[in-house]
């Protein structure tokens, strides 16, 4: 046996026995989170309960729409396709751990120079090669592919969270617009009634035509508010239909009937800031992307080291096709090989620098996702809390204006006040009632934003669809 063969075999054996995985091992970055929330809130800071949060609004129509969207939404289908792609890519990467075996054959007919006759040659056999993953480059790529799968899973979950929140928001827009139309029509009826009083007083000679003119002007002003609200109703229905993967007008008949704005639940399981690291799908996805980037630093680093392979071939050959079946015509070869880059013009070093830079970007992206998650919750908390106070004040305002309008109407009917006081009271009441509806919508929408910021809902969806 030749000396270099002994040396190569010994090197391969030593490499296999001392096999390792080069490059950095993944560790979650230290990202400090506050012990509590900065926004003032009376919501208890307990660990969030995994619930289908939209069911807490007790609106069967909303429940049904979201359940349908989870089955038919096109964004979810795209996210599921990306997940299948990541799993398939992992299979491609994992195949590098196994030998490659190829079957081949051929026929040649040659006539060497100076030889009067030609010669035929038949050949068939198998070739195999196996690169042994001594320094873990392939294993690092597989580790990165596994993290890509996990990131795709979190991406789908994030789409679910965003979809449910977006659909609920459009639903709130729909119901609030319907309620505003109802208020406008009630105000219009009341204004028409008061205009009739003004007309009777005009015919009786108690007042001038100015009162009737003011009453009719107020009615026209109120009427002008209704068409834009009706357009808003249709646009919300179109948006909901699209989120369900259907044509815009598919739900017009179903959703056109007026319904109330869903009532907000009395309490929200808020949780501590640190829980966001495990609750928010976008934060989890960002962490998996960081894990993948870290693993690929190791894969690039492995290129610095030698690569060990085993190659072999087995086949038969002969001058006639029937000779291929003769075992005496067999040939075979097997042996180890090693390659080690000596000069590559800095390609490996540059690639390691590229992967390090990508990992650094992934760290910054992960940190940014945590900060964004904290900000989202703080914004939702302060908006939810202050809007509840705003709504309470508006409810008191509506009650006060109703009393004022009743008094102004009675006084005008008895001829004890000017009609402008009735117009002012009617306008103030309509404006206050409209603002109260908008506040009801804002309270519910801010709660939806809070649930979204907390990353709620997707885990129960996962369990219910498995």
């Amino acid at each position: 046996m030749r000396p270099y063969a002994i040396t190569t075999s010994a090197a391969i054996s030593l490499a296999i026995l001392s096999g390792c995985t080069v490059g950095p091992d993944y560790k979650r970055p230290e990202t400090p989170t506050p012990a509590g929330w900065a926004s003032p809130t009376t919501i208890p800071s307990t660990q969030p309960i995994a619930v289908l949060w939209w069911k807490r609004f007790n609106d069967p129509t909303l429940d049904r729409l979201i359940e349908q969207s989870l089955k038919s939404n096109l964004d979810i289908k795209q996210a599921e396709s990306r997940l299948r792609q990541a799993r398939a890519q992992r299979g491609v990467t994992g195949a590098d751990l196994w030998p490659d075996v190829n079957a081949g054959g051929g026929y040649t007919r040659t006539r060497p120079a100076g030889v009067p006759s030609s010669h035929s040659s038949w050949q068939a056999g198998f070739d195999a090669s196996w690169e042994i993953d001594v320094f873990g480059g392939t294993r690092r790529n597989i580790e990165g592919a596994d993290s890509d799968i996990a990131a795709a899973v979190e991406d789908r979950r994030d789409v679910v969270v965003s979809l449910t929140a977006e659909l609920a928001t459009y639903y709130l827009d729909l119901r609030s617009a319907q309620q505003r139309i109802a208020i406008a029509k009630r105000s219009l009826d009341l204004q028409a009634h008061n205009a009739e009083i003004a007309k009777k007083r005009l015919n009786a000679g108690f007042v001038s035509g100015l009162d009737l003119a003011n009453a009719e002007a107020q009615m026209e002003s109120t009427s002008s508010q209704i068409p834009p609200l009706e357009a808003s109703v249709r646009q919300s229905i179109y948006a909901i239909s699209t989120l369900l993967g259907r044509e815009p007008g598919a739900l017009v008949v179903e959703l056109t009937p007026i319904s109330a704005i869903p009532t907000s639940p009395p309490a929200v399981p808020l949780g501590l800031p640190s829980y966001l690291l495990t609750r928010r799908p976008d934060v989890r996805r960002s962490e998996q992307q960081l894990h993948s980037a870290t693993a690929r630093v190791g894969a690039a680093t492995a290129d610095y080291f030698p690569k060990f392979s085993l190659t072999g071939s087995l086949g038969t050959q002969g001058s006639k096709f029937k000779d291929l079946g003769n075992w005496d015509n067999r040939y075979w070869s097997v042996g180890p090989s090693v390659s080690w880059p000596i000069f590559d013009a800095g390609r490996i070093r540059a690639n390691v620098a590229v992967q390090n830079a990508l990992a650094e970007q992934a760290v910054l992206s992960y940190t940014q996702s945590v900060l964004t998650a904290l900000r989202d919750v703080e914004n939702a908390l302060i908006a939810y809390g202050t809007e509840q106070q705003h709504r309470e004040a508006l409810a008191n305002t509506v009650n006060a204006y109703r009393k004022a309008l009743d008094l102004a109407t009675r006084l005008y009917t008895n001829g004890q006040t000017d009609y402008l006081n009735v117009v002012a009271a009617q306008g103030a009441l309509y404006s206050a009632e409209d603002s109260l509806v908008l506040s009801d919508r804002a309270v519910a929408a801010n709660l939806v934003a809070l649930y979204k910021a907390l990353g709620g809902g997707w885990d129960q969806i996962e369990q219910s669809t498995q």
Side-chain angles (χ1 to χ4, degrees):
M1 186 176 289
R2 296 172 63 180
Y4 79 85
I6 298 176
T7 303
T8 304
S9 299
I12 292 177
S13 300
L14 180 62
I16 294 174
L17 292 175
S18 61
C20 61
T21 304
V22 299
D25 293 325
Y26 173 73
K27 182 180 180 182
R28 177 188 289 177
E30 293 292 335
T31 306
T33 55
W37 301 105
S39 301
T41 177
T42 58
I43 302 175
S45 292
T46 57
Q47 185 170 4
I49 302 172
V51 296
L52 304 180
W53 56 262
W54 52 90
K55 291 185 176 294
R56 305 190 70 188
F57 285 101
N58 296 316
D59 190 309
T61 302
L62 177 60
D63 295 344
R64 184 173 64 255
L65 291 172
I66 289 183
E67 288 170 3
Q68 292 175 3
S69 72
L70 294 175
K71 298 176 182 177
S72 59
N73 179 261
L74 299 182
D75 288 333
I76 289 183
K77 292 183 180 297
Q78 292 181 55
E80 291 171 345
S81 178
R82 290 192 293 270
L83 176 57
R84 291 192 294 270
Q85 175 187 348
R87 286 171 174 163
Q89 185 59 49
R90 199 277 185 198
V92 173
T93 304
D96 291 339
L97 283 176
W98 299 91
D100 288 330
V101 180
N102 300 296
Y107 166 77
T108 59
R109 187 170 183 83
T110 60
R111 180 181 182 278
V115 178
S117 61
S118 60
H119 174 72
S120 296
S121 176
W122 294 84
Q123 181 179 349
F126 299 91
D127 295 314
S129 63
W130 183 20
E131 182 178 317
I132 304 171
D133 189 34
V134 177
F135 296 100
T138 300
R139 279 171 286 165
R140 288 298 193 191
N141 279 326
I142 292 175
E143 180 184 352
D146 287 337
S147 296
D148 290 339
I149 292 175
V153 170
E154 300 303 335
D155 178 66
R156 181 191 179 278
R157 291 168 174 169
D158 191 40
V159 171
V160 167
V161 172
S162 297
L163 166 66
T164 53
E166 184 177 10
L167 194 151
T169 301
Y170 279 126
Y171 186 77
L172 293 173
D173 291 340
L174 165 65
R175 296 313 186 195
S176 64
Q178 289 176 335
Q179 290 300 311
R180 294 179 68 192
I181 291 173
I183 290 173
K185 289 182 176 180
R186 286 199 304 269
S187 297
L188 195 59
D189 290 340
L190 179 60
Q191 291 163 8
H193 173 72
N194 290 333
E196 186 63 26
I197 295 175
K199 185 176 182 180
K200 290 180 179 179
R201 289 177 60 79
L202 174 63
N203 293 336
F206 295 143
V207 296
S208 67
L210 181 60
D211 286 1
L212 182 59
N214 284 329
E216 292 175 345
Q218 187 180 40
M219 290 174 59
E220 293 297 330
S221 176
T222 302
S223 296
S224 70
Q225 306 298 315
I226 296 177
L229 293 174
E230 291 175 337
S232 178
V233 167
R234 280 301 185 99
Q235 290 167 352
S236 297
I237 293 176
Y238 296 160
I240 292 172
S241 300
T242 304
L243 290 178
L244 268 62
R246 303 176 65 180
E247 65 275 13
L251 300 176
V252 169
V253 175
E254 178 182 351
L255 297 181
T256 295
I258 297 176
S259 183
I261 299 174
T263 304
S264 302
V268 181
L270 182 57
L272 298 174
S274 58
Y275 294 151
L276 287 181
L277 302 185
T278 57
R279 287 286 303 168
R280 288 263 298 218
D282 57 335
V283 174
R284 292 159 59 105
R285 177 184 59 204
S286 184
E287 182 180 358
Q288 292 299 333
Q289 290 170 341
L290 171 57
H291 190 166
S292 177
T294 303
R296 287 184 168 86
V297 172
T301 303
D303 290 339
Y304 279 123
F305 298 90
K307 299 183 182 300
F308 299 91
S309 301
L310 293 175
T311 59
S313 61
L314 173 65
T316 61
Q317 61 183 10
S319 59
K320 299 179 180 179
F321 179 77
K322 65 179 181 179
D323 293 338
L324 297 179
N326 187 346
W327 189 241
D328 291 334
N329 292 331
R330 71 185 182 277
Y331 67 89
W332 61 270
S333 65
V334 63
S337 65
V338 59
S339 64
W340 198 340
I342 301 299
F343 176 75
D344 64 356
R347 179 188 63 82
I348 295 176
R349 182 173 63 254
N351 187 40
V352 171
V354 168
Q355 300 305 322
N356 274 316
L358 291 175
E360 180 183 2
Q361 295 169 36
V363 171
L364 297 173
S365 178
Y366 171 73
T367 304
Q368 182 64 47
S369 69
V370 173
L371 295 176
T372 300
L374 293 172
R375 181 199 64 194
D376 289 346
V377 176
E378 294 285 8
N379 285 341
L381 277 176
I382 194 66
Y384 181 59
T386 55
E387 190 59 41
Q388 286 179 313
Q389 299 172 8
H390 182 217
R391 188 207 174 278
E392 183 178 358
L394 284 173
N396 294 333
T397 302
V398 168
N399 290 331
Y401 278 131
R402 283 174 180 166
K403 295 178 182 178
L405 177 59
D406 181 66
L407 179 60
T409 302
R410 284 190 285 109
L411 291 175
Y412 178 72
T413 303
N414 296 328
Q416 296 176 292
T417 188
D418 190 272
Y419 189 72
L420 289 177
N421 290 325
V422 178
V423 171
Q426 286 177 336
L429 177 59
Y430 171 62
S431 178
E433 287 181 332
D434 188 67
S435 296
L436 182 59
V437 169
L438 290 175
S439 184
D440 285 335
R441 183 262 175 205
V443 169
N446 289 335
L447 184 57
V448 170
L450 179 56
Y451 277 121
K452 179 183 178 182
L454 293 172
W458 59 261
D459 43 3
Q460 280 291 336
I461 294 172
E462 293 286 316
Q463 295 173 15
S464 63
T465 56
Q466 287 178 353

